[in-house]
Amino acid sequence: MWLKKSFKKKNMWLVLGWGGTKWFVHLWAIKYLEEKWVSITEVAWTSIGSIVGALYCSGKSYQDIYDAFSTIKTSDIIDRDLKQWMIKGNKIINRIGDICGNIQFSDLKIPLKIIATDINTGKEKVFSSWSVLEAIRHSISIPGVFSVTQNSEDEQFYIDGWLVNNLPVSHIENKRVIAVSCLWISPFKARKHITVFGKKIDTTFLSVPKRVIYRSLCIMMSNNENEQIKSHDHATVIRPNLTEISFYDLSALDRAIEIGYKATKKELRKQNHKK
């Protein structure tokens, strides 16, 4: 009952960020808030988090989203562009469209902001109008992984929002914000294999230099998040320990959700006890 008393009578704002397949953690944050009858008034999400954000803001519940992705396979969402050696991104967008339709921001039941990066100016782009699916496609465009797409409205090219704002608490000022970060900088260790989209592969596929680059990006984003949090102390930040969850592991849905639920419960109880 503690959370009902603390939060039920006050609207909450939700911020979720980047994390590859670790975005499964976001689902349990939503489930926990649903169980405690917390009313989410507005959502701001970056990168892969924008998928959960769009579905939730369109009126889908935790269970709806879980059911849609619990049996997901690599072949369901990955379509390779052999010419560019990147992911086209059409399959994953079509999958989302099958769930919520080709919705516009004006159709959403909860206001949503999706963050992307303008590849020409290097500046942040906040999508809160036009096509939701198109905004998601821009926001998940990890450089070198997804092909770059051009927006049909302003004809600009956009890439992943984590380059400029991985945890966009800055877009919800002076409000009660719950921010869930999927970044966890664990000790760097040599591993014999990793899990990529549900399959174990030898680490020669991702050589040490490539893994160092990936880790460097995580450090950069972590510093980005820390600066955001320092400047916006109104946010309650939840950072689950995701050491055991691979960036690419689609089979880790239930485990990631369990970790996210426990972390959300622990942090919100701690915040409540401070009051």
Side-chain angles (χ1 to χ4, degrees):
M1 296 297 292
W2 66 272
L3 192 56
K4 290 183 185 179
K5 294 179 180 179
S6 300
F7 292 111
K8 186 181 178 182
K9 295 181 179 179
K10 296 182 180 180
N11 294 331
M12 299 298 296
W13 285 255
L14 191 60
V15 175
L16 301 184
W18 176 91
T21 56
K22 296 180 181 183
W23 65 268
F24 296 146
V25 167
H26 299 163
L27 291 180
W28 260 118
I30 289 175
K31 178 170 177 57
Y32 188 72
L33 295 176
E34 283 184 349
E35 288 179 352
K36 301 305 176 182
W37 301 351
V38 174
S39 176
I40 301 299
T41 301
E42 185 178 12
V43 179
W45 292 4
T46 293
S47 191
I48 201 72
S50 64
I51 295 176
V52 179
L55 294 176
Y56 184 68
C57 291
S58 71
K60 303 300 180 183
S61 67
Y62 155 79
Q63 195 61 51
D64 294 331
I65 301 172
Y66 177 86
D67 291 343
F69 288 96
S70 60
T71 58
I72 199 169
K73 299 178 181 178
T74 304
S75 58
D76 295 331
I77 60 172
I78 301 300
D79 46 354
R80 297 176 177 84
D81 185 336
L82 297 180
K83 291 183 178 180
Q84 299 186 53
W85 287 97
M86 288 191 286
I87 298 173
K88 294 179 181 179
N90 296 330
K91 278 191 173 183
I92 190 168
I93 295 301
N94 290 338
R95 176 89 175 197
I96 300 166
D98 290 340
I99 302 169
C100 63
N102 187 18
I103 55 176
Q104 304 294 306
F105 278 88
S106 57
D107 299 324
L108 297 174
K109 297 182 179 181
I110 300 174
L112 171 67
K113 295 177 181 177
I114 293 178
I115 313 302
T117 305
D118 187 318
I119 198 170
N120 290 309
T121 65
K123 295 185 180 298
E124 177 183 81
K125 172 66 177 181
V126 181
F127 286 97
S128 57
S129 60
W130 305 336
S131 167
V132 172
L133 295 183
E134 202 167 1
I136 293 173
R137 179 62 183 83
H138 296 320
S139 191
I140 66 172
S141 296
I142 304 172
V145 178
F146 283 85
S147 57
V148 179
T149 55
Q150 184 179 26
N151 188 271
S152 62
E153 297 288 345
D154 62 10
E155 299 184 346
Q156 298 300 311
F157 290 89
Y158 297 100
I159 54 177
D160 204 309
W162 64 256
L163 289 166
V164 289
N165 197 347
N166 186 54
L167 197 66
V169 293
S170 58
H171 290 288
I172 304 180
E173 291 284 355
N174 302 317
K175 297 172 182 175
R176 295 168 62 82
V177 178
I178 297 175
V180 182
S181 169
C182 289
L183 283 174
W184 184 273
I185 309 300
S186 56
F188 184 79
K189 298 179 180 179
R191 293 182 292 174
K192 295 182 179 180
H193 68 268
I194 62 172
T195 303
V196 177
F197 299 126
K199 296 182 179 180
K200 289 185 178 181
I201 62 173
D202 190 274
T203 50
T204 53
F205 177 80
L206 287 179
S207 61
V208 171
K210 290 181 180 178
R211 286 189 288 126
V212 168
I213 291 173
Y214 166 70
R215 183 175 178 80
S216 299
L217 292 174
C218 288
I219 292 172
M220 179 188 72
M221 286 186 285
S222 180
N223 291 333
N224 177 307
E225 283 188 3
N226 290 335
E227 289 301 315
Q228 285 279 325
I229 294 166
K230 286 179 183 178
S231 303
H232 303 84
D233 57 5
H234 59 285
T236 296
V237 182
I238 301 169
R239 276 180 167 159
N241 185 335
L242 299 171
T243 305
E244 64 185 85
I245 307 296
S246 167
F247 174 80
Y248 304 98
D249 192 2
L250 290 175
S251 66
L253 173 65
D254 290 317
R255 180 56 182 151
I257 287 176
E258 178 186 359
I259 293 172
Y261 184 89
K262 290 180 178 179
T264 302
K265 180 178 180 180
K266 179 180 179 180
E267 184 60 33
L268 292 182
R269 280 189 168 179
K270 183 172 68 174
Q271 291 298 320
N272 185 69
H273 290 156
K274 289 180 180 180
K275 298 177 181 179

